[in-house]
Amino acid sequence: DLPKVPENFRLGLIVGPSGSGKSTLLEQFGNVTDHVWHPDKAIASHFISAEEAAEKLSAVGFNSVPAWLRPYYALSTGEKFRADLARTIGDGVVIDEFTSTVDRTVAKACSVALRRYADKKELSGIVMASCHYDIVEWLQPDWVFDASTGQLSGRGLLRRPPITLDILPCSSKIWPIFSKH
């Protein structure tokens, strides 16, 4: 069972190996959306407007405008993943198998871009499940539940402490000490 997660969050993440119950836990937050892609239409045509297509495709790190003009079946696995994600992102969505079908470079770019977009648009309640632990660092979710250990951590809620810096006037004679830096 999933412990009580924070009420207000942007991104939550359930991680764990295959068979650890991630998909079942994800169901507590809603249903995964499956998208139908028309085989004769460009992927950008599946959005309400060209502006929405550009915004959401860029939001998931899919920045190849020529690829936006191809049909879904003509995309690479990584491009398909990002196109599906672009059509999904919004408040309260659930995403299963997040980054499980893509290489780690795509996973990193997509995770960073998604976090940035969620913050910019003030999205909330997005929950993902993944077998990859490396995305925690890149996605910076507000909470992480490890299905294999049963541990909930508030990684995203823990912020780095502020750094206090005192700048003091000094003599120019001290410059040789700092010049190599």
Side-chain angles (χ1 to χ4, degrees), residues 7 9-12 26-33 88-95 118 122-128:
E7 287 184 29
F9 64 92
R10 292 201 196 289
L11 301 173
L26 194 60
E27 291 173 3
Q28 296 177 26
F29 296 95
N31 296 316
V32 174
T33 303
T88 302
I89 56 175
D91 286 322
V93 299
V94 296
I95 303 164
E122 298 183 351
L123 299 178
S124 64
I126 300 171
V127 182
M128 292 156 280

Side-chain angles (χ1 to χ4, degrees), residues 39-75:
D40 297 328
K41 288 177 130 182
I43 61 164
S45 300
H46 290 83
F47 294 86
I48 294 170
S49 67
E51 292 77 19
E52 181 194 39
E55 177 182 291
K56 288 193 170 185
L57 290 165
S58 295
V60 297
F62 191 0
N63 298 313
S64 172
V65 176
W68 298 354
L69 305 177
R70 295 195 306 246
Y72 183 78
Y73 70 84
L75 302 177

Side-chain angles (χ1 to χ4, degrees), residues 139-167:
L139 187 63
Q140 298 179 8
D142 298 311
W143 56 264
V144 177
F145 179 73
D146 188 332
S148 65
T149 65
Q151 296 294 310
L152 177 71
S153 60
R155 176 178 164 77
L157 299 174
L158 301 174
R159 303 288 182 217
R160 290 187 178 126
I163 298 174
T164 305
L165 208 49
D166 293 325
I167 300 175

